[in-house]
Amino acid sequence: MRLSLVVPCYNEVEVISRFHQALGQQLGTIGQPYEIVYVDDGSSDGTLDALIGLAATDESVRYLSFSRNFGKEAAMLAGLRYATGDAVVIMDADLQHPPELIGRMLAEYERGFDQVIARRTRTGDPATRTLFARAYYWLINKWADVELMDGVGDFRLLSRRAVDGLLELNEYNRFSKGLFAWIGFESILFEYENVKSAPDRKSRWTFRRLLEYGFDGLLSFNNKPLRLAIYVGLLLTAVAAGYAVWVIVAAIVQGVEMPGYVTLIAAIIGLGGLQLVMLGVIGEYIGRIYYETKQRPHYLLKQTNMDPAQRLEKRPAPDGRTTRGR
Ligand code: UDP
Ligand code: MG
C-alpha cells in the first residue's frame, strides 16, 4: 500500500523544515512507500520557497500553491484531490499533530478501518473555552443531523474510499468536521495528549471566529433553526391569542381600563428583536445558497510540481459509471 500525507500550510516557514524532518523520520521507521502533499495556502512569508526547497531534496514531496489565502478547508480539499495514496493522513504543519501517531493510525487502517480519528484532550486549554466547547457540542449533537465530537479535528487517516466519498461532496461552504461525519464508514477514535501551540504563535481561533465557526456547524448540517422559528412563532401567536381573550373578558367583567404601557413597549421591542433574529437565520441560509449557486472553484492554483491534470476530477466508479470528484 501507499500512504499520502496532506499538509495544509499557511505562513509556516518557521516550522516547516522541522515538521518535515520529524515526519520523514517517522515515515522512515514505518517503511511504507509514501508521498507528502504540502498545500501552501497563499502564504506571505516564504513558505512556498521552503516547500520548493524541500521538493528539490526529497522526491516524496509534492506541493501545491494557491494564488491567495483560501482557508484551511480549501487547502485540505486540494490536498485530497491530488493525493494518490491508498490511505491519506491529514495533518497540520505546526507540529500540533504528532507524527508519532501515524504508525498507530496505519495499524488501525490495516485492521480494516476507513477513518482513524485522533482526538485531542483539552489539557492546557483555558477553562472557559473548554466549558464553551462542552456546551456547544451538547447543543449541536441535539440538533444537527450528524454527530460531532469535542476535540476531534482534521487529524485523521482516511481510506481511499473515504477520500473518494469526501470528494463527492462539492459544497462551497465546507465544514469538514461535519463532512467527515457525514460520509460514515467504519471509524475508530483514539486520544492523544493536546500539544499546545508555540507561545509566540497566536491561534487563529479568536472568540469571534469560534463563534462564527459554531454557527457554521449549526447551519451547515440541518434546517432546524428554521423549524425553531416556526415553533416560536406558533407559541407567540398562542400566547397573544390567550392574552387577547383575557383582556376582553376582563373588560366585560370590570369595564375598560388603560394600563399596560410597559407591557406594550416590551412586546414591541421583544417581538421586533425576535423577528430580526429569525430574519438573520433565514438570511444565513440564503447567503449559503447564494455562494453555492455561483459555483466558484474552492481555490486557484498558482504553482505546483505535480501534473495539474492529475486532479481526481473524474474517476471511473467500480461499476463503470463516471463520478465527479470535484
Ligand atoms: N492553515 C491553512 N490556511 C489557513 C489557516 C491555517 O492552511 O488559512 C493551516 C496551518 O498552516 C496549519 C493548520 O491549517 O497547518 C492549522 O492552523 P492553525 O495552527 O493556525 O490552527 P489551530 O491549530 O489553532 O486550529
Ligand atoms: Mg495549530
Side-chain angles (χ1 to χ4, degrees):
M1 71 151 294
R2 208 168 113 86
L3 182 65
S4 293
L5 291 108
V6 167
V7 188
C9 316
Y10 178 55
N11 291 346
E12 302 283 11
V13 74
E14 274 159 39
V15 289
I16 198 75
S17 64
R18 218 157 14 107
F19 170 82
H20 186 71
Q21 212 173 6
L23 185 63
Q25 200 183 354
Q26 283 303 318
L27 292 169
T29 56
I30 289 170
Q32 299 272 16
Y34 65 87
E35 64 172 358
I36 310 174
V37 182
Y38 287 105
V39 185
D40 163 42
D41 186 9
S43 302
S44 53
D45 69 344
T47 299
L48 175 59
D49 293 331
L51 293 179
I52 293 171
L54 289 179
T57 56
D58 185 340
E59 60 169 18
S60 67
V61 172
R62 318 261 180 275
Y63 65 84
L64 296 158
S65 180
F66 289 175
S67 62
R68 66 168 170 86
N69 181 240
F70 281 92
K72 189 185 175 190
E73 298 285 352
M76 288 195 293
L77 176 67
L80 290 176
R81 278 179 179 166
Y82 283 86
T84 56
D86 304 304
V88 179
V89 173
I90 305 173
M91 61 195 302
D92 285 1
D94 60 358
L95 288 164
Q96 277 188 296
H97 294 166
E100 300 83 67
L101 298 179
I102 295 172
R104 184 157 169 200
M105 289 179 160
L106 270 175
E108 299 290 0
Y109 167 75
E110 263 143 32
R111 280 177 53 207
F113 287 100
D114 289 279
Q115 289 202 55
V116 186
I117 305 157
R119 176 191 191 190
R120 74 179 179 95
T121 60
R122 284 204 169 263
T123 42
D125 268 11
T128 45
R129 195 167 150 181
T130 310
L131 199 74
F132 266 114
R134 292 255 157 79
Y136 174 69
Y137 283 100
W138 176 81
L139 184 79
I140 204 164
N141 283 327
K142 266 180 106 75
W143 280 46
D145 303 338
V146 293
E147 201 194 337
L148 304 182
M149 226 187 288
D150 188 12
V152 166
D154 305 319
F155 186 25
R156 63 183 68 214
L157 178 146
L158 299 164
S159 68
R160 177 39 61 190
R161 59 179 181 173
V163 172
D164 288 348
L166 272 180
L167 292 180
E168 296 226 11
L169 305 179
N170 281 331
E171 57 223 75
Y172 188 79
N173 294 286
R174 294 185 80 78
F175 183 75
S176 272
K177 268 192 187 202
L179 300 181
F180 288 138
W182 188 91
I183 58 169
F185 291 119
E186 303 310 319
S187 307
I188 190 167
L189 188 132
F190 66 84
E191 280 206 337
Y192 69 98
E193 193 68 14
N194 188 21
V195 183
K196 275 195 247 174
S197 52
D200 57 327
R201 180 193 170 99
K202 258 209 178 143
S203 172
R204 63 199 168 97
W205 295 107
T206 56
F207 180 72
R208 188 164 162 195
R209 277 206 63 170
L210 276 174
L211 203 66
E212 280 175 0
Y213 187 71
F215 277 122
D216 267 353
L218 213 56
L219 296 172
S220 290
F221 278 88
N222 69 81
N223 57 7
K224 292 211 179 82
L226 294 173
R227 191 69 51 84
L228 182 73
I230 298 176
Y231 287 137
V232 173
L234 283 177
L235 182 75
L236 281 175
T237 313
V239 169
Y243 183 67
V245 169
W246 184 67
V247 167
I248 290 168
V249 170
I252 293 171
V253 175
Q254 299 169 346
V256 177
E257 284 179 72
M258 286 292 282
Y261 176 71
V262 175
T263 325
L264 202 63
I265 294 293
I268 290 173
I269 295 178
L271 282 179
L274 198 70
Q275 284 175 358
L276 282 182
V277 169
M278 294 312 177
L279 262 184
V281 170
I282 297 171
E284 276 288 333
Y285 283 103
I286 294 177
R288 270 148 221 271
I289 297 170
Y290 174 68
Y291 278 110
E292 296 296 339
T293 51
K294 285 181 187 236
Q295 298 242 333
R296 288 195 176 153
H298 296 82
Y299 55 82
L300 290 180
L301 284 185
K302 180 173 71 178
Q303 199 176 332
T304 172
N305 65 346
M306 287 186 275
D307 173 11
Q310 179 194 315
R311 175 176 134 171
L312 300 175
E313 187 151 7
K314 289 204 175 105
R315 95 184 13 258
D319 58 1
R321 272 184 310 125
T322 309
T323 59
R324 287 168 72 79
R326 192 163 58 91

